[in-house]
Amino acid sequence: MAVEDSHQQTPGGQEDDRGPGLPPAGAGGGAGRGPRPALGGMAGGAARVLLAALLGALPAAAERELRFRPPAEAPVRLFTEPELARYDGQQEGQPIYLAVKGVVFDVTSGKEFYGKGAPYNALVGKDSTRGVAKMSLDPADLTHDITGLTEEELKSLDDIFNNVYKAKYPIVGYTSRRILNEDGSPNLDFKPEDQPHFNIKDEF
C-alpha cells in the first residue's frame, strides 16, 4: 500500500474556539453605584481624575487576570465502536475520525485521503492500528489488535503514530479499549497523549 506523510505517502494520510471575550475594560462600570459626591476647586478636579483612573483600572486588572488565566483542561472523550463508526467520512459535513493505538484523531483536514471514495477511507471510523502498522487496507487488518506484528511493523506503527498523526491531526478522544479495562472498570494507568508541538502541516 502506498504511504503518505508530509514528504511522501503513508497510510496515515496526513495533516477550539474559546468563549466570547470580556466586555471592554470599564464598560458599564458605573451602573448601580448611585450619585457621586460633588467635588469642587482644583483639589476636586484632581480627585475626579484619580477616581476615574481607579474606576477604569479595576475592571482592566480583572480582565487581564481572566484573559491570561490558563484554560481549564478539556475533559477526555470516550468513543465506543458504534459511535466512532459514525465518523467514517460517508456523510458530507460530518467530521472524519480515525483511531490509532486507541487515540482518536480528527483527520477531516485530510479528507482527500480519508473522505468518501478516497484512497484511505477504509481506515476511518474505527481503530485501524494493525492496518497502519502493516500499511495494509485488508479488511482483516483494520483492527486494534496488534497480536503477531513483527518488530519492524511495531517500529513503523510508532513512527507513523508520532510523526504523522500526532504531528498533523488533533486528538479528539480515545477508544473505550484505551480508557477502560475489559470488565468496564476505569484503566488506572490511562494517561492522555499530549500534543505540545501540534501543528498543521501541508499534505505534500
Side-chain angles (χ1 to χ4, degrees):
M1 181 179 88
V3 296
E4 174 266 329
D5 62 18
S6 56
H7 299 292
Q8 61 182 354
Q9 290 192 336
T10 71
Q14 322 318 313
E15 305 256 304
D16 267 324
D17 291 335
R18 303 304 178 200
L22 295 171
R33 295 184 184 276
R36 296 175 185 167
L39 298 171
M42 294 181 60
R48 279 195 295 271
V49 172
L50 178 59
L51 181 60
L54 288 174
L55 289 174
L58 289 176
E63 182 179 356
R64 284 195 298 271
E65 180 183 353
L66 290 173
R67 180 180 297 169
F68 296 108
R69 181 177 299 167
E73 185 173 325
V76 171
R77 182 175 178 184
L78 181 151
F79 287 86
T80 62
E81 289 186 7
E83 183 178 14
L84 185 56
R86 298 207 305 263
Y87 301 94
D88 61 356
Q90 299 303 305
Q91 185 174 339
E92 188 67 28
Q94 179 89 329
I96 306 172
Y97 292 167
L98 161 64
V100 182
K101 298 175 68 172
V103 182
V104 181
F105 296 93
D106 183 343
V107 298
T108 309
S109 58
K111 62 183 178 181
E112 65 268 38
F113 297 103
Y114 300 107
K116 185 176 181 179
Y120 304 126
N121 176 254
L123 295 172
V124 304
K126 59 181 71 71
D127 189 324
S128 296
T129 301
R130 188 180 190 88
V132 170
K134 297 180 66 175
M135 293 185 279
S136 168
L137 295 176
D138 186 325
D141 290 326
L142 303 182
T143 173
H144 68 281
D145 189 3
I146 59 173
T147 303
L149 290 182
T150 66
E151 184 176 341
E152 183 178 353
E153 289 168 338
L154 291 173
K155 184 179 182 301
S156 175
L157 172 62
D158 285 341
D159 183 58
I160 294 171
F161 177 78
N162 289 306
N163 299 322
V164 177
Y165 289 109
K166 284 187 67 175
K168 301 185 73 173
Y169 299 107
I171 294 171
V172 293
Y174 300 84
T175 65
S176 54
R177 291 179 183 276
R178 177 76 181 249
I179 296 179
L180 305 177
N181 296 315
E182 291 186 4
D183 62 2
S185 63
N187 177 5
L188 300 181
D189 294 326
F190 167 76
K191 292 182 180 179
E193 296 283 339
D194 63 5
Q195 288 184 301
H197 307 299
F198 173 74
N199 62 309
I200 300 293
K201 298 180 181 177
D202 292 336
E203 290 296 334
F204 300 102

